[in-house]
Amino acid sequence: MTSHDPTLLLLLYFIMPLWLLAGVCDWLCHRKTHIEENAGLKEAFIHILMFSEVGIPLLAALFLEINALIILLMIVGFLLHEATALWDVSYSSTARYISPVEQHIHSFLEMVPLMALLLVVSRHWDQALALVGLGAAAADFSLNLKSEPLPVPYIVTLLLAIVLLEIIPFAEELVRCLRKRGATEK
């Protein structure tokens, strides 16, 4: 890993924390509006879907060599996430109040993955060009672990932060919605 690569430093120490912060703030907005009382289980499942749409490419980028395949995975994940985010807001805005603050947080949750994607593309420009049939390099669609892995303390800290700030809160949201649904069916 090039510790002085400003693009990598921005990705690791600015983009990732910003993304996690936006995610936990979004969960706080959902708690404040009691989604289990209105938009309910459907919105909770949509959130899990969006989490997986960005989580799978993120894990690939953390552990695998970035090549045309991983860039393509990131692009597809981003586009799916955008489509699902539109579905999420279209549905949830009919069922509950979405404050201007939450709308602003959603802006971050949509643009931060794009910023991350663009920074990854800029670091691996030859494979990005190859993906669309341009440049001198051949598109590499192999799956290989990083030859220069990210520092273990960074990976452990990031994964722990993801569990604490994203997985646990959104699992709690899902449980609240499941409990409410179960209580109303009785």
Side-chain angles (χ1 to χ4, degrees), residues 46 50 79-93 110:
I46 293 171
M50 287 191 294
L79 293 174
L80 288 172
H81 182 265
E82 286 300 298
T84 307
L86 181 59
W87 174 34
D88 176 36
V89 172
S90 297
Y91 167 72
S92 59
S93 65
E110 291 181 50

mmCIF file of all heavy atoms in Angstrom, residues 46 50 79-93 110:
data_model
loop_
_atom_site.group_PDB
_atom_site.id
_atom_site.type_symbol
_atom_site.label_atom_id
_atom_site.label_comp_id
_atom_site.label_asym_id
_atom_site.label_seq_id
_atom_site.Cartn_x
_atom_site.Cartn_y
_atom_site.Cartn_z
ATOM 1 N N ILE A 46 -35.918 -2.943 2.454
ATOM 2 C CA ILE A 46 -35.285 -2.129 1.410
ATOM 3 C C ILE A 46 -33.928 -1.629 1.895
ATOM 4 O O ILE A 46 -32.948 -1.636 1.138
ATOM 5 C CB ILE A 46 -36.202 -0.965 0.976
ATOM 6 C CG1 ILE A 46 -37.447 -1.489 0.257
ATOM 7 C CG2 ILE A 46 -35.444 0.008 0.076
ATOM 8 C CD1 ILE A 46 -38.512 -0.433 -0.017
ATOM 9 N N MET A 50 -30.286 -2.276 0.153
ATOM 10 C CA MET A 50 -29.323 -1.228 -0.211
ATOM 11 C C MET A 50 -27.972 -1.469 0.448
ATOM 12 O O MET A 50 -26.928 -1.240 -0.166
ATOM 13 C CB MET A 50 -29.859 0.161 0.165
ATOM 14 C CG MET A 50 -30.973 0.629 -0.746
ATOM 15 S SD MET A 50 -31.410 2.355 -0.526
ATOM 16 C CE MET A 50 -32.062 2.343 1.116
ATOM 17 N N LEU A 79 -25.296 1.511 -9.285
ATOM 18 C CA LEU A 79 -26.524 1.743 -10.058
ATOM 19 C C LEU A 79 -27.731 1.051 -9.406
ATOM 20 O O LEU A 79 -28.822 1.631 -9.340
ATOM 21 C CB LEU A 79 -26.340 1.285 -11.503
ATOM 22 C CG LEU A 79 -25.338 2.106 -12.320
ATOM 23 C CD1 LEU A 79 -25.120 1.473 -13.691
ATOM 24 C CD2 LEU A 79 -25.769 3.564 -12.442
ATOM 25 N N LEU A 80 -27.531 -0.172 -8.914
ATOM 26 C CA LEU A 80 -28.614 -0.855 -8.201
ATOM 27 C C LEU A 80 -29.001 -0.090 -6.940
ATOM 28 O O LEU A 80 -30.191 0.063 -6.641
ATOM 29 C CB LEU A 80 -28.199 -2.285 -7.838
ATOM 30 C CG LEU A 80 -28.122 -3.281 -8.978
ATOM 31 C CD1 LEU A 80 -27.503 -4.592 -8.495
ATOM 32 C CD2 LEU A 80 -29.500 -3.522 -9.586
ATOM 33 N N HIS A 81 -27.999 0.393 -6.213
ATOM 34 C CA HIS A 81 -28.249 1.164 -4.997
ATOM 35 C C HIS A 81 -29.046 2.426 -5.317
ATOM 36 O O HIS A 81 -29.973 2.782 -4.580
ATOM 37 C CB HIS A 81 -26.916 1.509 -4.324
ATOM 38 C CG HIS A 81 -27.070 2.264 -3.048
ATOM 39 N ND1 HIS A 81 -27.011 3.632 -2.996
ATOM 40 C CD2 HIS A 81 -27.287 1.837 -1.783
ATOM 41 C CE1 HIS A 81 -27.188 4.022 -1.744
ATOM 42 N NE2 HIS A 81 -27.357 2.954 -0.980
ATOM 43 N N GLU A 82 -28.716 3.104 -6.391
ATOM 44 C CA GLU A 82 -29.447 4.308 -6.783
ATOM 45 C C GLU A 82 -30.904 3.987 -7.111
ATOM 46 O O GLU A 82 -31.810 4.702 -6.686
ATOM 47 C CB GLU A 82 -28.778 4.983 -7.988
ATOM 48 C CG GLU A 82 -27.496 5.696 -7.648
ATOM 49 C CD GLU A 82 -27.701 6.797 -6.627
ATOM 50 O OE1 GLU A 82 -28.439 7.759 -6.917
ATOM 51 O OE2 GLU A 82 -27.122 6.675 -5.532
ATOM 52 N N ALA A 83 -31.120 2.914 -7.856
ATOM 53 C CA ALA A 83 -32.489 2.524 -8.205
ATOM 54 C C ALA A 83 -33.270 2.137 -6.948
ATOM 55 O O ALA A 83 -34.436 2.530 -6.783
ATOM 56 C CB ALA A 83 -32.466 1.362 -9.197
ATOM 57 N N THR A 84 -32.631 1.404 -6.050
ATOM 58 C CA THR A 84 -33.293 0.998 -4.811
ATOM 59 C C THR A 84 -33.546 2.198 -3.912
ATOM 60 O O THR A 84 -34.588 2.272 -3.241
ATOM 61 C CB THR A 84 -32.464 -0.073 -4.079
ATOM 62 O OG1 THR A 84 -32.189 -1.144 -4.995
ATOM 63 C CG2 THR A 84 -33.208 -0.629 -2.877
ATOM 64 N N ALA A 85 -32.621 3.160 -3.883
ATOM 65 C CA ALA A 85 -32.819 4.377 -3.079
ATOM 66 C C ALA A 85 -34.036 5.155 -3.580
ATOM 67 O O ALA A 85 -34.812 5.684 -2.778
ATOM 68 C CB ALA A 85 -31.566 5.253 -3.123
ATOM 69 N N LEU A 86 -34.213 5.207 -4.886
ATOM 70 C CA LEU A 86 -35.388 5.871 -5.456
ATOM 71 C C LEU A 86 -36.661 5.132 -5.041
ATOM 72 O O LEU A 86 -37.652 5.756 -4.641
ATOM 73 C CB LEU A 86 -35.271 5.945 -6.975
ATOM 74 C CG LEU A 86 -36.409 6.636 -7.701
ATOM 75 C CD1 LEU A 86 -36.584 8.082 -7.245
ATOM 76 C CD2 LEU A 86 -36.169 6.592 -9.209
ATOM 77 N N TRP A 87 -36.633 3.818 -5.112
ATOM 78 C CA TRP A 87 -37.770 3.003 -4.673
ATOM 79 C C TRP A 87 -38.042 3.244 -3.184
ATOM 80 O O TRP A 87 -39.190 3.430 -2.768
ATOM 81 C CB TRP A 87 -37.467 1.538 -4.954
ATOM 82 C CG TRP A 87 -38.466 0.542 -4.436
ATOM 83 C CD1 TRP A 87 -39.827 0.691 -4.336
ATOM 84 C CD2 TRP A 87 -38.180 -0.777 -3.954
ATOM 85 N NE1 TRP A 87 -40.402 -0.455 -3.824
ATOM 86 C CE2 TRP A 87 -39.413 -1.370 -3.589
ATOM 87 C CE3 TRP A 87 -37.009 -1.508 -3.814
ATOM 88 C CZ2 TRP A 87 -39.499 -2.659 -3.085
ATOM 89 C CZ3 TRP A 87 -37.099 -2.804 -3.322
ATOM 90 C CH2 TRP A 87 -38.335 -3.363 -2.958
ATOM 91 N N ASP A 88 -36.968 3.272 -2.371
ATOM 92 C CA ASP A 88 -37.097 3.479 -0.935
ATOM 93 C C ASP A 88 -37.807 4.791 -0.628
ATOM 94 O O ASP A 88 -38.792 4.819 0.112
ATOM 95 C CB ASP A 88 -35.701 3.453 -0.289
ATOM 96 C CG ASP A 88 -35.721 3.752 1.195
ATOM 97 O OD1 ASP A 88 -36.667 3.340 1.890
ATOM 98 O OD2 ASP A 88 -34.762 4.390 1.674
ATOM 99 N N VAL A 89 -37.326 5.870 -1.198
ATOM 100 C CA VAL A 89 -37.912 7.181 -0.897
ATOM 101 C C VAL A 89 -39.317 7.291 -1.486
ATOM 102 O O VAL A 89 -40.209 7.869 -0.862
ATOM 103 C CB VAL A 89 -36.989 8.317 -1.385
ATOM 104 C CG1 VAL A 89 -37.651 9.672 -1.256
ATOM 105 C CG2 VAL A 89 -35.679 8.293 -0.600
ATOM 106 N N SER A 90 -39.526 6.717 -2.662
ATOM 107 C CA SER A 90 -40.863 6.747 -3.263
ATOM 108 C C SER A 90 -41.869 6.035 -2.365
ATOM 109 O O SER A 90 -42.989 6.510 -2.183
ATOM 110 C CB SER A 90 -40.848 6.078 -4.638
ATOM 111 O OG SER A 90 -40.021 6.787 -5.522
ATOM 112 N N TYR A 91 -41.459 4.916 -1.799
ATOM 113 C CA TYR A 91 -42.356 4.182 -0.899
ATOM 114 C C TYR A 91 -42.476 4.877 0.453
ATOM 115 O O TYR A 91 -43.579 5.163 0.925
ATOM 116 C CB TYR A 91 -41.872 2.736 -0.705
ATOM 117 C CG TYR A 91 -42.588 2.060 0.440
ATOM 118 C CD1 TYR A 91 -43.920 1.692 0.299
ATOM 119 C CD2 TYR A 91 -41.961 1.853 1.664
ATOM 120 C CE1 TYR A 91 -44.612 1.108 1.353
ATOM 121 C CE2 TYR A 91 -42.641 1.265 2.722
ATOM 122 C CZ TYR A 91 -43.960 0.905 2.561
ATOM 123 O OH TYR A 91 -44.646 0.347 3.605
ATOM 124 N N SER A 92 -41.339 5.134 1.093
ATOM 125 C CA SER A 92 -41.380 5.613 2.480
ATOM 126 C C SER A 92 -41.992 7.005 2.601
ATOM 127 O O SER A 92 -42.624 7.313 3.616
ATOM 128 C CB SER A 92 -39.987 5.576 3.114
ATOM 129 O OG SER A 92 -39.085 6.373 2.390
ATOM 130 N N SER A 93 -41.851 7.832 1.577
ATOM 131 C CA SER A 93 -42.420 9.189 1.660
ATOM 132 C C SER A 93 -43.947 9.172 1.657
ATOM 133 O O SER A 93 -44.569 10.138 2.091
ATOM 134 C CB SER A 93 -41.902 10.065 0.521
ATOM 135 O OG SER A 93 -42.355 9.585 -0.728
ATOM 136 N N GLU A 110 -26.161 8.718 -1.158
ATOM 137 C CA GLU A 110 -26.147 8.470 -2.595
ATOM 138 C C GLU A 110 -24.837 8.928 -3.231
ATOM 139 O O GLU A 110 -24.314 8.260 -4.118
ATOM 140 C CB GLU A 110 -27.320 9.187 -3.264
ATOM 141 C CG GLU A 110 -28.656 8.583 -2.908
ATOM 142 C CD GLU A 110 -29.802 9.291 -3.583
ATOM 143 O OE1 GLU A 110 -29.734 9.489 -4.804
ATOM 144 O OE2 GLU A 110 -30.759 9.656 -2.878
#
